[in-house]
Each structure stands twice: as C-alpha cells, then as structure tokens.
Amino acid sequence: MHHRFSRVAHRVLCCGRQASGDDLNDERNGSIRWVFSLRELQSATNRFNYDNKIGEGSLGSFYWGQVWDGSQIAVKKLKNARNGTEMEFAAEVESLGRVRHKNLLSLRGYCADGPERILVYDYMPNSSLFAHLHGTHSSECLLDWRRRMFIAIGSARAIAYLHHHETPTIIHGSIKSTNVLLDSDFQAHVGDFGLMKLISDEIDHDKIIGENQRGYHAPEYVMFGKPTTGCDVYSFGIILLELTSGRKPVEKSGSQKMLGVRNWVLPLAKEGRYDEIADSKLNDKYSESELKRVVLIGLACTHREPDKRPTMLEVVSLLKGESKEMLLRLEKEELFRPDSMASSVGTTPEGSTDCILKNDDEGLAGA
C-alpha cells in the first residue's frame, strides 16, 4: 500500500492561452499543478520498484504510482537531463506545463531534487497505441474501427494545436505510436512533446530520437537532421498507415529485407486494393470510404516532397470528412495514379519509410 501524499511543495498556476475553434479549445486551462518532492514520488511508486515500471524509452523510464487521494499517476525519470539548476529545470517544465489541450498528455508536476529530474503525468489506463496495434494488448482486438478513427482525429488535433496555436510553434520531433497514450475511454493523448529541451546538449540527439523511431522519420530529417513541422506531419502519416493496416512502420518482407509501411501500402492504394490494406483484426468491420480516406491522407502526409504534404490543420479537416473538395484533389494527385513513378519505393534513407460494418459510408464524419 502506498503512503499518503502530503501536499508540501509549491502551487504552480499555469494559465494556458485560450485557443480558437472547437479543435483547439481546451477547457482545462488554468489548472493547478504541484512540485513533488523525491520522497513523495518514491512513496507513490514503491521506491521506483521494478513491478511499478510501465515503460522504458530513450528519454527515460515510466513508473505507475498512486497519490495521496487515490488517483493514479505516471512518473517519468529522465535520463541525461541538462545539468542546469533546479530553477532552470522548473522554468522549462512549467513552460511545457502551460501547453494544455484535451488530446495532449497532461503534465501534473515535476521533481528537481539533486541530480534527479522527474516528470509527473496523468496515468493512461489503456496504455499506448503501440501496445494495442503491435504489443501486449494486440491479441485482445480492442481497437475497432470507430475507436481507430477517434484516435486518429484526436491525435491529429493535438499536433495541430502544437503547430498552429502555440507561439512559438512547438515541433514535437518524436511522433510515434508509443507516444499516443489512451485513457479509459480510448481517447488519444499525445505525449513527450518538447522533452528534447530538457536533455543535455552533450547527448547525441539523433541517437536518442532514433532508438525507438525507426520508420517514422521523414527522409529530409534523416539526411539533414533538422526537425520541422513537415517532419511531424510525415511521422503522423505513418501512424495513420499503422492504424489502417495494423502493420509496424518497418517490417521484414518475404525476402527478409526491411519494408516500410508506406512502400507496402502505396502500390495497393494505386490499384484500389484497400481491402488488402485493412488490418485483418478488424474482421471486415469498417467503413470502406473512411478507410480509403485515411489511407490517402496517410500517404499524402508521407509524400517525399515536404511542400506537398498537408498541414496538420488540413489533416484534421480531412479526417473529419469536412474537406471533400480537398480529398478529391488528393485522389487526383500524381502520387496515386496507377502509372505514376512517384512512389519512391526505391532506396530511402535509413530510418524513414517510405462496430461499423464494411460498406457503411456514413461513418464518423461528425466525430
């Protein structure tokens, strides 16, 4: 049993900026967060016991914990944090804490105690999108088509918020299915945005980002190493192709060569063979028109030419079925023509990739 938390620590009032539009609105602005002591977090996680560990990433380890009022938290112990003062760390974290949206993973607090640099988040009981598509929960088949559409739209809204509402613009830089967390209602919460600012400059950032992100990187990022909003769009496009196909970003082909999901999906899309793209775990229970739409959006997001990718605001609108004219233009793009040579199936830089019943066309246009 975990000891009760005491409410020591300072109150931090983080007043978020009011967004415009339904997609960017965050009704939780102005929430209060706590600065936790190391002792409190040790108590909550049973001294960071291995049994409490729920994840390990390139930036740190995640632990499940329970606070004084019985609510659950996720505690992230950062690796290779900057060697700045506690005040400098607190200022950076509080800056991130002001970024609030219903589809972003909420930061509840932090700890800066000696060398320890720890972040405290809301706990997501349904783990990550990766766990349900490829990992521990994949055999349970809990992601029906409706849930997949809600996850796609919700996570797109979160990234659009970072790109188009925050000033200065926040480039996520590490969009992948392990960073799309799912709450008890399977609503998406995108995590790990802005964390690279907290990591020491002496660490090889390309290595940190690349450890668990094979297949998500845009070709221009792999070549030049500079993250952009276009790189985020590319990574999100890979997630859309994961959601529709159930395939990992990179898998071994029949010849044992590594094949990116984009290069697997594109030839099938060109020939209109969307039923072969659909994840078999859906058991043919999906909207054909929506699946086709999500595939086309995913492929457009992963276009080899960055200036031909949609913005995240356009992606949100497309996913919701609000931009029918834009979708029609998208279908006519050279990329999707059967005789087109613009598929980029050839050599790509390492690290890049290049219950609704079937035939129900109503789907989730109003989701």
Side-chain angles (χ1 to χ4, degrees):
M1 180 177 292
H2 299 289
H3 299 296
R4 178 179 176 178
F5 264 43
S6 62
R7 296 194 197 182
V8 299
H10 313 288
R11 287 189 175 187
V12 180
L13 182 62
C14 295
C15 300
R17 309 174 191 85
Q18 183 63 40
S20 60
D22 292 339
D23 288 338
L24 300 184
N25 186 46
D26 178 17
E27 64 276 12
R28 296 178 303 180
N29 285 341
S31 60
I32 295 175
R33 285 183 276 279
W34 301 98
V35 180
F36 294 95
S37 72
L38 182 59
R39 179 179 295 180
E40 289 173 326
L41 295 181
Q42 287 174 333
S43 175
T45 60
N46 193 19
R47 302 190 68 83
F48 300 102
N49 192 287
Y50 180 80
D51 291 338
N52 288 56
K53 195 171 186 178
I54 55 177
E56 177 79 32
S58 55
L59 300 182
S61 302
F62 259 117
Y63 296 84
W64 173 87
Q66 191 168 33
V67 298
W68 63 274
D69 63 358
S71 62
Q72 301 177 79
I73 58 173
V75 180
K76 185 160 192 170
K77 293 186 70 176
L78 293 178
K79 299 176 183 177
N80 305 309
R82 290 183 184 273
N83 294 323
T85 66
E86 294 179 9
M87 289 184 64
E88 290 171 335
F89 178 78
E92 289 282 7
V93 173
E94 288 169 20
S95 175
L96 291 177
R98 295 188 185 99
V99 182
R100 305 286 283 177
H101 184 273
K102 63 183 179 181
N103 293 114
L104 289 172
L105 186 62
S106 295
L107 181 65
R108 293 183 58 161
Y110 59 89
C111 172
D113 189 328
E116 295 286 0
R117 298 292 182 266
I118 303 171
L119 303 175
V120 181
Y121 294 97
D122 288 339
Y123 174 69
M124 295 290 109
N126 274 313
S127 191
S128 69
L129 178 59
F130 178 90
H132 285 274
L133 290 179
H134 317 300
T136 53
H137 298 295
S138 58
S139 62
E140 300 171 36
C141 301
L142 297 177
L143 294 188
D144 60 15
W145 182 248
R146 178 174 293 274
R147 283 178 173 169
R148 294 186 195 212
M149 283 299 296
F150 279 129
I151 290 168
I153 293 170
S155 50
R157 284 170 167 166
I159 302 166
Y161 183 89
L162 297 177
H163 286 187
H164 300 282
H165 173 64
E166 283 298 311
T167 304
T169 293
I170 295 177
I171 297 170
H172 190 294
S174 187
I175 295 170
K176 51 190 175 182
S177 57
T178 53
N179 280 339
V180 178
L181 289 304
L182 305 175
D183 65 17
S184 57
D185 296 321
F186 286 89
Q187 179 167 259
H189 298 259
V190 176
D192 268 10
F193 60 92
L195 291 196
M196 293 307 299
K197 295 197 302 182
L198 306 177
I199 303 302
S200 172
D201 291 330
E202 297 177 2
I203 305 302
D204 186 342
H205 286 199
D206 288 346
K207 182 176 185 297
I208 288 176
I209 293 175
E211 283 180 5
N212 278 327
Q213 203 159 337
R214 183 176 177 82
Y216 288 100
H217 284 319
E220 71 271 17
Y221 178 82
V222 176
M223 294 178 68
F224 305 113
K226 183 179 180 180
T228 64
T229 55
C231 294
D232 279 354
V233 172
Y234 184 100
S235 299
F236 183 72
I238 297 297
I239 286 182
L240 292 182
L241 299 181
E242 285 183 84
L243 276 167
T244 51
S245 70
R247 291 174 64 94
K248 293 180 180 179
V250 178
E251 291 187 357
K252 286 184 178 180
S253 65
S255 61
Q256 297 301 303
K257 292 183 178 181
M258 301 305 289
L259 180 65
V261 65
R262 177 187 185 274
N263 290 342
W264 180 80
V265 167
L266 184 55
L268 295 173
K270 283 173 174 286
E271 297 176 12
R273 294 156 60 188
Y274 292 95
D275 58 329
E276 296 179 41
I277 295 173
D279 187 352
S280 61
K281 292 193 291 295
L282 290 168
N283 293 317
D284 286 341
K285 295 179 180 179
Y286 59 89
S287 163
E288 285 186 314
S289 61
E290 285 182 352
L291 184 129
K292 176 181 177 180
R293 185 166 80 228
V294 177
V295 168
L296 289 175
I297 298 166
L299 290 172
C301 288
T302 57
H303 201 291
R304 291 296 306 276
E305 298 180 42
D307 60 350
K308 292 187 178 180
R309 297 170 197 158
T311 68
M312 286 307 302
L313 282 179
E314 290 172 332
V315 169
V316 171
S317 185
L318 284 164
L319 285 172
K320 294 176 69 178
E322 296 173 346
S323 301
K324 293 182 180 179
E325 291 184 6
M326 189 186 303
L327 185 65
L328 287 174
R329 291 199 303 271
L330 188 62
E331 290 186 62
K332 296 177 181 178
E333 286 283 339
E334 181 184 4
L335 180 68
F336 304 114
R337 295 174 190 164
D339 58 347
S340 169
M341 297 301 292
S343 63
S344 304
V345 173
T347 304
T348 58
E350 184 181 357
S352 77
T353 62
D354 247 25
C355 201
I356 298 173
L357 297 179
K358 191 174 179 181
N359 296 323
D360 174 8
D361 290 339
E362 292 183 4
L364 293 172

